[in-house]
Amino acid sequence: QVQLVESGGGLVQAGGSLRLSCVASGSIRSINAMGWYRQPPGKQRELVAGISSGGSTNYADSVKGRFTISRDNAKRTVTLQMNSLKPEDTAVYYCNVGLLIYGSDAWRQYWGQGTQVTVSS
């Protein structure tokens, strides 16, 4: 079994900061790309930031310069540091990780349960 557990969401005023973390656990053989998505109220889920197994990063234009994604392979963790938050950043944030588990030869995408981020104006 594999679990992705997120933490760090909450309520913050505009201009504030939050740090999201996602820890993967279970029968994990290898980890590929890791990323964060978000789903604002009434909208579709969108990519916020991603980081490859080699450490290359990519960001949505709307968060460039404000958000930073990082990973710790030993701890199986991906983190999203969010600074200068805006009301439009309000959404449920989900981590997404590509995993190869023991007993399988196929890579699969796994999702966390989501964590609410609310930015007040």
Side-chain angles (χ1 to χ4, degrees):
Q1 303 294 337
V2 171
Q3 270 193 315
L4 298 182
V5 179
E6 299 151 351
S7 60
L11 173 63
V12 65
Q13 287 190 331
S17 298
L18 283 174
R19 185 179 179 89
L20 305 183
S21 292
C22 173
V23 181
S25 63
S27 301
I28 297 169
R29 198 165 116 198
S30 188
I31 301 176
N32 198 355
M34 310 176 87
W36 288 93
Y37 288 70
R38 68 186 180 188
Q39 187 164 15
K43 295 185 178 180
Q44 290 190 333
R45 194 173 297 189
E46 60 183 9
L47 175 67
V48 176
I51 184 166
S52 72
S53 57
S56 299
T57 59
N58 62 288
Y59 296 92
D61 287 343
S62 59
V63 307
K64 282 180 181 176
R66 299 188 298 123
F67 291 9
T68 302
I69 189 170
S70 60
R71 62 189 286 166
D72 185 328
N73 292 325
K75 296 181 180 179
R76 298 174 174 177
T77 299
V78 58
T79 299
L80 186 69
Q81 177 66 44
M82 305 185 295
N83 298 328
S84 303
L85 282 161
K86 305 175 181 180
E88 51 264 43
D89 294 317
T90 295
V92 178
Y93 284 69
Y94 299 89
C95 68
N96 175 269
V97 181
L99 296 172
L100 186 64
I101 65 172
Y102 287 103
S104 174
D105 291 328
W107 289 90
R108 276 190 56 194
Q109 297 296 314
Y110 290 82
W111 292 90
Q113 80 283 1
T115 185
Q116 178 69 45
V117 171
T118 302
V119 184
S120 63
S121 56

